[in-house]
């Protein structure tokens, strides 16, 4: 207890904590001792400390009694070293004489620094604070309780962060007398956990040096380093992590080790070497690790050997471990290289280092080796040439691996690449290794072993080893004949694999571009059936592909999952710069002067089968990136799209036409060609963390440039740097449609919103049409509410070439453009109400963009004319839009038209005059004919009366005689049947002749005569 108190007090002095209380206590105890006449103090009864520095930078050395000491006569205070004084590394300040002395054997010193490299428990001065920052959902109390078990956990050589979505801070406070620095090593491989390091002063304000507080990601299995300058005074160091559990995957924790702080004013004692290390020389600034099969205790000057027959010890061990009996988990089999007879032998080997014993009961012995089997054939592009080894075919030749290399026929060229499907030896451009973050057991071991028709993960030294397999490709280049196909694909890598696991194993597939940074492309957890995976290469650069297999994430003392393994059956790489050929492909021939050598076709040209000459693709077609032989290599563009000048791809120029009901609808989406953005949500994780889905959409135009950019901001790489070398960064995505996950600033207590998990949803434009299906991509009619107008929606279809485990055919995107005059300019973007994330299956995304700019262009059929009244000889004609209006721009509304006209008053006068004349004429005629009618009636009556008197005078006659010149009575009946015109003519004629009218009377008698 006394030693602990002394160390705490010395540590307090080293960190510069106030020491005035110790001075007062010293004088008080001295006074009491004098009063009680205690025995004089010896050197073991007290220790020296420095007082707090004054304004002049000076201090005093005072003697402080130990807690259990009871004595009198402490040494008087003396002036101490200046406050900025410090010893060199390997030395400490001997307080009695105030001089620097070398550390003894078994100890070390950093001089003006302190180092934390022992993490069996949380060192003194460190603390954990766990919180759940998001209070948007649920009660604060419940969430606070849910993080009680979250903390940074010591793991021996390093300390490990939390794995959940709590925010956990590892805190250490230090007071520096002069400016210094903090340095630490870390491993940070999972961008689903946020890792930040920052510094605050004693006023809880962040220091200026923490402007870039985000720590860079590291490659799998590699340790990175981070250092920050510290100012004199109080510095509170924070290592803070926050996990974001967006799916079922568990985040990989952050590992930190070897925390070193420089700037401490002095070190009054040396640090003992931790167990498993030693220091055999005075004045050491560090300790060495004990070799294998040796051990050491704390403060050791040398390591002690184990009895190797019964015990073993790994490097850096603090004790020897008893060797267990050998089991099947302690050996493995390999295949030897082929001999001259074409045979390979199956050999069994102990896993090195061997830690088991064969002489114990129930222990297994090594199975006999030497079983001979036929060697597998050479891989395509290689040939053994009657030897035991396979060699690559010379340039310009090809082989399927079983026959000799042959030259490609005229008019063809070798299709270069690699196809590894037989695994007798590891190919020359591949290497394997083993790595463990916590120990060096498997250093130098093979991470993977060849096994005939496959290559499988090796045994390793621990179950949490990273078993690594690398494949290096110096570059990618299409064949000569495909040079004109300037698409986004330069090559591809395809591999067939399976994992057999009983625990939580993980297989990572990673890619490194130009040896800058290794990024995880895809990962598979637990057991997976035999399957294929393809990764597209879009940049001509040096690539290193890595497969890393880990059985379990946490280390264990015993091997339990050694039989868990990953198998890779074949790896195929196309268009590799230094590749070999298994076949030949047709190419374009040059002119007669150049002979039969292959020549590159210009961009957008295919090879004509009949002549083997280059010919340009027809308009609105693009050249296939997989083959350029034959007219079928030119693929027609989809509806509403056109090809680029070099026929490399199809794009939308924002103009779409559609004919319906004998009416042509023309759309122009140019004003929507700028990137549109949409933030959907919020959504919540299973633990209640709030997040949003952020989308950027580059609809059309821009000469097929992918203007939508999504980027992660949890990095200290600036956006400017990412744009300069965008393809080298996995957190920079350029596409037609891209997506990011946004964590709002109020969700986790960060100063700014965080963007992560950026990915491309569309990198190829398929077409724009009013149809709901295009290239097996369909949109349901009930996906969005029906349109209130009769104007059809226009659907833009896109496709992404990125293949994921959940989307074997890649992702697809449909953007529906809907006419809505109430939403001008950019309008409004939205997602289906049933799918707030924009997708219901994770593979096909749907958006609707409502805007007035999505309406068709106006035509002559969209307006009508209205004629005005004629005023003062002029008439106006107006033009108005049909209601409701469903068009914009296009044909403008004609201006008002004015024309001459006859006034209404003139025609009324003419009409009145004609009417009056007609009325007078009719009245006159009526009167005239009425008078004539009266005369006729009078004459007729007179005639009848005359005929009646004559009939009485001649009773014997059948009928009365008719005077000469008079007409028969029957004629009167006949004449009554004449028309009015006939009567008028008849009357006029009679009056002119004799002013009398003769009427013929007919009787039955006259008829008989």
């Amino acid at each position: 207890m006394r030693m602990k108190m002394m160390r705490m007090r010395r540590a307090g002095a080293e960190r510069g904590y106030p020491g005035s209380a110790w001075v007062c206590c010293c004088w008080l105890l001295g006074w009491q001792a004098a009063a009680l006449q205690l025995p004089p103090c010896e050197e073991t009864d007290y220790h020296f400390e420095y007082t707090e520095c004054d304004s002049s930078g000076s201090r005093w050395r005072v003697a402080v009694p130990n807690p259990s000491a009871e004595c009198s006569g402490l040494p008087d205070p003396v002036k101490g070293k200046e406050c900025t004084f410090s010893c060199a590394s390997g030395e400490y300040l001997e307080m009695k004489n105030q001089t620097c002395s070398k550390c003894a054997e078994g100890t070390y010193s950093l001089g003006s620094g302190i180092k934390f490299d022992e993490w069996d428990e949380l060192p003194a001065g460190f603390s954990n604070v766990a919180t759940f920052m998001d209070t948007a959902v649920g009660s604060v109390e419940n969430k606070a309780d849910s993080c009680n078990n979250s903390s940074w956990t010591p793991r021996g050589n390093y300390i490990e962060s939390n794995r959940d979505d709590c925010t956990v801070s590892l805190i250490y406070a230090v007071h520096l007398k002069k400016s210094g620095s903090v340095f630490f090593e870390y491993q940070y491989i999972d961008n689903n956990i946020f890792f930040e390091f920052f510094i605050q002063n004693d006023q809880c304000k962040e220091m200026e040096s923490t402007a870039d507080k985000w720590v860079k990601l590291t490659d799998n299995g590699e340790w990175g380093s981070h250092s920050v300058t510290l100012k004199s005074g109080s510095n509170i160091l924070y290592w803070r992590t926050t996990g974001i559990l967006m799916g079922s995957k568990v985040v990989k924790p952050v590992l930190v080790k070897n925390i070193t702080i420089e700037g401490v004013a002095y070190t009054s004692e040396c640090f003992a070497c931790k167990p498993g290390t030693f220091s055999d020389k005075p004045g050491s600034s560090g300790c060495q690790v004990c070799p294998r099969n040796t051990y050491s205790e704390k403060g050791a000057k040398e390591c002690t050997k184990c009895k190797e027959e019964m015990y073993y010890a790994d490097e850096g061990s603090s004790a020897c471990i008893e060797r267990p009996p050998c089991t099947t988990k302690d050996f493995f089999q390999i295949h030897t290289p082929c001999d001259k007879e074409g045979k390979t032998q199956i050999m069994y080997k102990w896993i090195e280092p061997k830690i088991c014993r064969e002489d114990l009961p129930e222990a297994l012995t090594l199975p006999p080796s030497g079983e001979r089997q036929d060697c597998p054939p050479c891989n395509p592009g290689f040939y053994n040439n009657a030897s035991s080894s396979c060699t690559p075919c010379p340039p310009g030749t090809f082989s399927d691996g079983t026959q000799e290399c042959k030259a490609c026929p005229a008019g063809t060229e070798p299709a270069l690449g690699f196809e590894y499907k037989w695994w007798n030896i590891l190919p020359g451009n591949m290497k394997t290794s083993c790595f463990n973050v916590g120990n060096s057991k498997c250093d130098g071991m093979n991470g993977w072993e060849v096994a005939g028709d496959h290559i499988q993960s090796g045994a390793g030294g621990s179950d949490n080893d990273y078993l690594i397999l690398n494949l290096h490709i110096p570059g990618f280049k299409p064949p000569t004949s495909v040079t004109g196909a300037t698409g986004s694909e330069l090559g591809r890598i395809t591999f067939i694999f399976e994992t057999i696991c009983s625990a939580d194993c993980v297989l990572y597939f990673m890619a490194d571009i130009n040896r800058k940074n290794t990024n995880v492309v895809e990962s598979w957890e637990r057991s997976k059936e035999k399957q294929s995976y393809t990764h597209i290469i879009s940049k001509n650069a040096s690539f290193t592909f890595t497969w890393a297999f880990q059985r379990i994430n946490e280390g264990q003392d015993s091997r339990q999952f050694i039989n868990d393994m990953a198998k890779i059956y074949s790896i195929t790489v196309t268009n590799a710069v230094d590749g070999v050929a298994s076949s030949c492909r047709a190419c374009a021939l040059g002119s007669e002067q150049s002979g039969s050598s292959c020549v590159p076709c210009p961009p957008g040209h295919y090879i004509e089968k009949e002549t083997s000459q280059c010919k340009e693709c027809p308009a609105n077609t693009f050249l296939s990136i997989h083959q350029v032989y034959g007219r079928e290599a030119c693929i027609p563009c989809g509806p509403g799209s056109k090809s680029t000048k070099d026929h490399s791809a199809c794009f939308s120029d924002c103009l779409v036409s559609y004919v319906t009901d004998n009416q042509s609808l023309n759309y122009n989406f140019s004003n929507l060609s700028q990137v549109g953005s949409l933030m959907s949500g919020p959504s919540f994780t299973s633990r209640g963390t709030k997040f949003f889905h952020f989308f950027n959409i580059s609809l059309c135009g821009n000469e097929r440039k992918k203007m939508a950019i999504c980027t992660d901001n949890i990095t200290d790489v600036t956006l400017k740097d990412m744009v300069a070398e965008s393809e080298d960064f996995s957190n920079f995505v350029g596409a037609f449609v891209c997506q990011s996950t946004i964590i709002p600033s109020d969700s986790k207590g960060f100063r700014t919103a965080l963007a992560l998990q950026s990915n491309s949803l569309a990198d190829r434009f398929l077409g724009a049409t009013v149809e709901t299906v295009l290239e097996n991509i369909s949109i349901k009619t009930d996906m969005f509410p029906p349109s209130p107008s009769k104007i059809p929606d226009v659907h833009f279809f896109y496709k992404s070439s990125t293949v994921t485990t959940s989307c074997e055919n890649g992702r697809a995107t449909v953007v529906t453009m809907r006419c809505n005059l109430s939403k001008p300019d950019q309008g409004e973007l939205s997602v289906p109400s049933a799918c707030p994330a924009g997708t219901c299956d994770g593979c096909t995304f749907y958006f609707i963009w409502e805007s007035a700019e999505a309406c068709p262009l106006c035509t002559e059929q969209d307006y009508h004319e209205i004629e005005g009244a004629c005023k003062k000889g002029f008439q106006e004609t107006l033009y108005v839009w049909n209601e409701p209006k469903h068009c914009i721009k296009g044909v403008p509304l004609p201006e008002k038209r004015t024309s001459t006209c006859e006034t209404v008053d003139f025609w009324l006068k003419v009409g009145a005059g004609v009417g009056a004349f007609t009325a007078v004429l009719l009245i006159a005629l009526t009167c005239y004919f009425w008078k004539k009618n009266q005369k006729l009636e009078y004459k007729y009556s007179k005639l009848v009366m005359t005929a009646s008197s004559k009939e009485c005078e001649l009773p014997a006659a059948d009928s009365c005689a008719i005077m000469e010149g008079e007409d028969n009575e029957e004629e009167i009946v006949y004449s009554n049947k004449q028309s009015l015109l006939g009567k008028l003519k008849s009357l006029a004629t009679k009056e002119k002749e004799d002013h009398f009218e003769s009427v013929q009377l007919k009787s039955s008698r006259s008829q008989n005569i």
Side-chain angles (χ1 to χ4, degrees), residues 24 234 271 302 321 421 423 459 461 489 503 704 819 849 914 939:
C24 296
S234 297
F271 299 96
E302 60 181 7
I321 303 174
K421 61 181 181 179
W423 304 91
E489 180 179 334
R704 76 176 289 266
C819 173
W849 197 335
V914 173
K939 291 181 179 181

Side-chain angles (χ1 to χ4, degrees), residues 588-744:
L589 299 178
S591 60
E592 295 181 0
Q593 290 79 7
S594 62
S596 61
S597 61
C598 294
V599 296
C601 285
H605 286 63
Y606 69 96
I607 303 173
E608 196 174 38
K609 293 182 179 180
E610 292 77 12
T611 62
S612 294
Q613 299 296 313
C614 299
K615 189 173 182 180
E616 186 176 3
C617 282
N620 292 330
T621 62
F622 68 98
L623 190 62
S624 170
I625 59 178
H626 299 295
Q627 63 96 13
V628 294
Y629 189 63
R631 170 64 177 78
E632 58 272 16
C634 300
I635 304 173
C637 291
S641 64
K642 58 190 298 185
S643 63
T644 55
K645 295 180 180 180
D646 59 0
H647 298 277
S648 61
C650 296
F651 72 101
S652 171
D653 59 358
C654 299
L655 302 178
V656 179
S657 298
Y658 173 66
V659 178
T660 175
D661 298 333
N662 297 324
Q663 181 184 4
S664 178
L665 299 179
N666 298 307
Y667 299 84
N668 187 346
F669 301 103
S670 299
N671 289 342
L672 300 178
S673 61
Q674 300 299 320
V675 176
S677 299
L678 167 66
M679 183 90 75
S680 69
S683 300
F684 299 90
T685 64
S686 58
R687 291 284 294 273
T689 299
K690 180 171 63 176
F691 65 93
F692 294 85
H693 292 290
F694 181 74
F695 302 95
N696 276 331
I697 299 176
S698 176
L699 184 69
C700 59
N702 304 306
E703 286 294 326
R704 76 176 289 266
K705 292 181 181 178
K706 303 166 185 175
M707 305 299 292
I709 296 176
C710 296
T711 179
D712 298 349
N713 67 352
I714 53 170
T715 174
D716 57 359
V717 180
T718 64
L719 182 61
K720 181 179 179 181
D721 295 334
M722 288 190 290
V723 172
E725 298 182 84
S726 60
E727 297 182 13
D728 289 346
F729 294 92
S730 62
N731 56 351
F732 181 91
V733 176
F736 290 115
V737 183
C738 63
Q739 175 194 24
S740 295
T741 301
I742 303 296
I743 309 295

Side-chain angles (χ1 to χ4, degrees), residues 37-289:
Q37 296 182 353
L38 296 176
C41 292
E42 299 180 1
E43 292 185 1
T44 57
D45 294 327
Y46 60 88
H47 62 276
F48 294 105
E49 291 184 5
Y50 281 126
T51 62
E52 190 73 25
C53 294
D54 56 24
S55 59
S56 63
S58 60
R59 55 188 173 183
W60 292 83
R61 189 207 69 177
V62 296
V64 180
N66 296 329
S68 60
E70 295 182 359
C71 61
S72 62
L74 291 172
D76 295 332
V78 297
K79 191 169 184 179
K81 292 283 187 182
E82 61 272 13
C83 289
T84 58
F85 174 81
S86 62
C87 297
S89 61
E91 297 179 342
Y92 71 101
L93 183 61
E94 200 277 309
M95 294 293 290
K96 180 179 180 180
N97 301 318
Q98 298 192 69
T99 58
C100 293
S101 301
K102 290 186 177 181
C103 291
E105 298 176 351
T107 62
Y108 73 97
S109 169
L110 300 177
S112 61
I114 52 177
K115 184 176 182 179
F116 301 95
D117 58 356
E118 188 175 349
W119 299 96
D120 294 320
E121 59 182 4
L122 200 64
F126 282 88
S127 61
N128 270 304
V129 176
T131 57
F132 196 98
M133 302 298 295
D134 193 345
T135 59
V137 176
S139 64
V140 179
E141 294 78 7
N142 292 339
K143 291 190 175 182
D145 295 340
S146 66
C147 292
N148 287 340
N149 297 325
S150 298
S151 67
W152 286 76
T153 306
R155 297 292 185 187
N157 292 329
Y158 58 88
I159 187 169
E160 178 183 280
S161 74
N162 59 311
R163 298 167 180 260
D164 52 27
D165 52 358
C166 295
T167 298
V168 183
S169 297
L170 180 66
I171 305 174
Y172 184 77
V174 61
H175 189 88
L176 302 185
K177 299 300 181 182
K178 59 180 180 179
S179 60
S181 63
V182 57
F183 169 88
F184 61 90
E185 296 179 70
Y186 69 95
Q187 190 173 107
Y188 174 32
I189 62 176
D190 192 346
N191 60 3
N192 288 318
I193 188 170
F194 302 143
F195 180 33
E196 52 183 337
F197 174 74
F198 60 95
I199 305 166
Q200 291 183 348
N201 58 20
D202 52 4
Q203 303 299 320
C204 294
K205 294 183 178 180
E206 290 193 21
M207 312 291 278
E208 296 179 359
S209 59
T210 60
D212 297 328
K213 64 179 182 178
W214 298 112
V215 183
K216 292 182 180 179
L217 289 167
T218 61
D219 298 340
N220 256 51
E222 294 186 5
W223 289 92
S225 61
H226 190 80
S227 61
V228 177
T229 302
L230 300 178
K231 293 184 178 181
S232 59
S234 297
N235 293 267
I236 305 174
L237 313 181
Y238 288 84
W239 291 264
R240 187 163 73 177
T241 56
T242 303
I244 303 297
L245 303 181
M246 304 304 297
S248 59
K249 291 185 177 181
V250 178
V251 297
K252 307 298 180 183
V254 175
L255 312 181
V256 175
K257 69 176 183 179
N258 294 336
I259 299 177
T260 305
I261 302 174
E262 293 284 349
V264 177
Y266 68 95
T267 300
S268 62
E269 63 178 354
C270 296
F271 299 96
C273 291
K274 69 177 183 178
T277 63
F278 70 99
S279 172
D280 57 354
K281 295 179 180 180
S284 297
S285 59
C287 300
Q288 304 176 50
V289 179

Side-chain angles (χ1 to χ4, degrees), residues 189-434:
I189 62 176
D190 192 346
N191 60 3
N192 288 318
I193 188 170
F194 302 143
F195 180 33
E196 52 183 337
F197 174 74
F198 60 95
I199 305 166
Q200 291 183 348
N201 58 20
D202 52 4
Q203 303 299 320
C204 294
K205 294 183 178 180
E206 290 193 21
M207 312 291 278
E208 296 179 359
S209 59
T210 60
D212 297 328
K213 64 179 182 178
W214 298 112
V215 183
K216 292 182 180 179
L217 289 167
T218 61
D219 298 340
N220 256 51
E222 294 186 5
W223 289 92
S225 61
H226 190 80
S227 61
V228 177
T229 302
L230 300 178
K231 293 184 178 181
S232 59
S234 297
N235 293 267
I236 305 174
L237 313 181
Y238 288 84
W239 291 264
R240 187 163 73 177
T241 56
T242 303
I244 303 297
L245 303 181
M246 304 304 297
S248 59
K249 291 185 177 181
V250 178
V251 297
K252 307 298 180 183
V254 175
L255 312 181
V256 175
K257 69 176 183 179
N258 294 336
I259 299 177
T260 305
I261 302 174
E262 293 284 349
V264 177
Y266 68 95
T267 300
S268 62
E269 63 178 354
C270 296
F271 299 96
C273 291
K274 69 177 183 178
T277 63
F278 70 99
S279 172
D280 57 354
K281 295 179 180 180
S284 297
S285 59
C287 300
Q288 304 176 50
V289 179
C290 288
R292 195 179 302 278
N293 290 327
T294 64
Y295 74 98
S296 70
E297 297 178 350
K298 189 171 185 177
K301 301 178 181 179
E302 60 181 7
C303 299
T304 305
K305 290 186 176 181
C306 301
K307 295 182 180 180
E308 296 189 21
E309 299 81 8
M310 302 177 61
Y311 299 93
Y312 76 97
D314 296 321
E315 289 185 359
S317 295
S318 60
C320 295
I321 303 174
E322 186 177 358
R323 294 181 180 271
C326 293
T327 65
T328 56
K329 298 180 180 180
D330 295 304
F331 62 84
F332 63 97
Q333 70 173 29
I334 61 171
H335 290 70
T336 61
C338 292
D339 54 24
K340 294 182 179 181
E341 299 177 358
K343 299 290 185 180
T344 180
Q345 297 184 39
I346 299 178
M347 307 295 292
Y348 294 91
K349 290 187 175 182
W350 293 111
I351 295 175
E352 295 294 339
K354 182 184 176 183
I355 62 173
C356 64
R357 293 177 58 182
E358 302 178 64
D359 57 348
L360 293 177
E362 299 181 359
L364 297 180
T365 57
L366 197 66
S369 300
E371 180 184 351
R372 292 167 61 87
Q373 295 181 350
D374 292 335
C375 282
C378 293
N379 282 307
F382 293 83
Y383 185 61
N384 58 17
N385 291 323
S387 65
S388 59
S389 61
C390 296
T391 57
C393 288
T397 63
F398 72 99
S399 172
D400 61 356
T402 60
Q403 300 178 357
E404 295 182 359
C405 300
K406 299 179 181 179
C408 287
T412 63
E413 62 178 336
L416 299 180
F418 293 103
E419 184 181 358
Y420 297 133
K421 61 181 181 179
W422 301 111
W423 304 91
N424 184 56
I425 60 172
L426 197 66
N429 59 349
M430 299 185 72
K431 64 179 182 179
T432 180
S433 60
C434 180

